[in-house]
Amino acid sequence: MSKQMHVTSNAIPCRRIVSIRSCILIVTLLLAASYLSSALAAPPIRDSQHIASKYVCSWKSLKERNVVMQKRDYSCGAAALATVIKFYIGDPMNEGVILRTLDGLLTFEEVKDRIENGLAMSDLRKAAVELSYQSVVAQMSLEQLFESKVPLVVGITENEYKHFVVYRGTDYQYVYLADPIRGNIRLLINDFACQWQKNLALAVAKPGVPPRLVSPLSLTARDIFLGQTNDQLLRTIPSRGAGKNARQGL
């Protein structure tokens, strides 16, 4: 009996064991919190040399983004059609494919005429159909153009120079265009209305594929903001005789 009492008297009370465990837990949590706090306060590590970088788009790349730029004097129509097929429909396309397709559709005399005077809207529709796309040319009012939910190929005449561009959308102050020469530009509505050739527009679709509500050619708030930023830049540039020329590139 005395031996049993002796063993019992040397045992650690349960409350003391719980208290020690609680202390250990609290210390562990404090250490973890301290480590986490220091980790969050430290700068992010991008690589082993602690170097962080961010890609910045150039002005040229922004201007030419989602636009097939023409490579020949007479190929603006082919580049505009390729822009719609590539960035709206989503199929691989370039102006060379369009021009080679037209070589098989036009006579030698017609090809010679197109090289000298450029392509016609009917040529672009024929090329699109030959490439298995649905295409239609329609005459419409400015209000009907603004209601379009898809990009359209339109012809404009500026300083007696005939040119094809892609209509992207409007903010009801400017008309936004994908231009095979100048890239992404915008024109005041009145200026565009004066330049628009015969109020004609070419639409292209892929059979069996519903129209896309959103595409790389869709007008976004970012496009409008960039235009406003360009305006602010031009307003703050000292007058050096270049402001008028620069504004035409917006």
Side-chain angles (χ1 to χ4, degrees):
M1 183 67 178
S2 59
K3 184 177 181 181
Q4 183 178 359
M5 290 296 295
H6 177 72
V7 172
T8 303
S9 63
N10 289 337
I12 299 176
C14 291
R15 290 183 179 178
R16 187 178 177 185
I17 294 175
V18 173
S19 177
I20 293 174
R21 289 178 177 175
S22 298
C23 291
I24 293 174
L25 179 61
I26 292 173
V27 171
T28 302
L29 291 175
L30 289 174
L31 290 174
S34 176
Y35 174 79
L36 180 61
S37 176
S38 62
L40 292 176
I45 298 176
R46 303 306 183 198
D47 57 26
S48 59
Q49 297 179 347
H50 295 198
I51 297 176
S53 63
K54 182 178 181 180
Y55 177 76
V56 179
C57 293
S58 67
W59 180 84
K60 184 176 184 294
S61 64
L62 287 174
K63 292 288 288 184
E64 298 180 359
R65 184 179 58 185
N66 301 330
V67 183
V68 175
M69 306 301 291
Q70 69 182 82
K71 301 183 184 302
R72 301 168 178 83
D73 293 339
Y74 59 90
S75 62
C76 60
L81 178 57
T83 295
V84 174
I85 295 176
K86 181 176 182 179
F87 294 110
Y88 171 66
I89 296 178
D91 291 343
M93 187 57 61
N94 58 65
E95 68 172 27
V97 174
I98 306 295
L99 293 175
R100 287 192 294 272
T101 301
L102 287 172
D103 283 342
L105 298 175
L106 303 177
T107 65
F108 176 79
E109 292 299 325
E110 287 175 330
V111 171
K112 184 178 178 181
D113 174 75
R114 302 308 189 266
I115 292 176
E116 293 179 357
N117 302 310
L119 298 172
M121 185 79 77
S122 58
D123 296 333
L124 301 181
R125 188 194 68 80
K126 291 177 182 178
V129 172
E130 183 68 16
L131 292 169
S132 301
Y133 296 101
Q134 295 173 336
S135 183
V136 62
V137 177
Q139 190 172 42
M140 61 184 66
S141 66
L142 199 61
E143 291 74 17
Q144 291 173 324
L145 178 70
F146 291 168
E147 292 175 357
S148 175
K149 304 300 182 183
V150 301
L152 302 170
V153 177
V154 297
I156 60 175
T157 302
E158 184 175 5
N159 298 326
E160 299 183 356
Y161 176 73
K162 295 182 178 181
H163 187 48
F164 283 108
V165 296
V166 177
Y167 168 81
R168 297 179 55 206
T170 181
D171 60 2
Y172 294 96
Q173 181 180 4
Y174 292 94
V175 172
Y176 292 77
L177 307 171
D179 189 320
I181 289 181
R182 296 171 289 182
N184 290 297
I185 64 169
R186 65 180 188 172
L187 299 177
L188 288 169
I189 288 179
N190 289 339
D191 292 339
F192 173 79
C194 293
Q195 296 179 21
W196 190 13
Q197 296 176 14
K198 301 179 182 179
N199 286 44
L200 294 176
L202 171 72
V204 183
K206 190 171 184 177
V209 178
R212 297 177 64 181
L213 299 179
V214 179
S215 75
L217 290 177
S218 300
L219 181 62
T220 65
R222 185 170 184 266
D223 297 310
I224 298 173
F225 173 75
L226 287 175
Q228 294 171 345
T229 303
N230 282 341
D231 278 345
Q232 177 64 23
L233 174 63
L234 292 174
R235 284 193 295 267
T236 57
I237 292 178
S239 178
R240 292 174 293 188
K244 182 178 180 181
N245 293 332
R247 183 172 293 277
Q248 293 177 352
L250 292 178

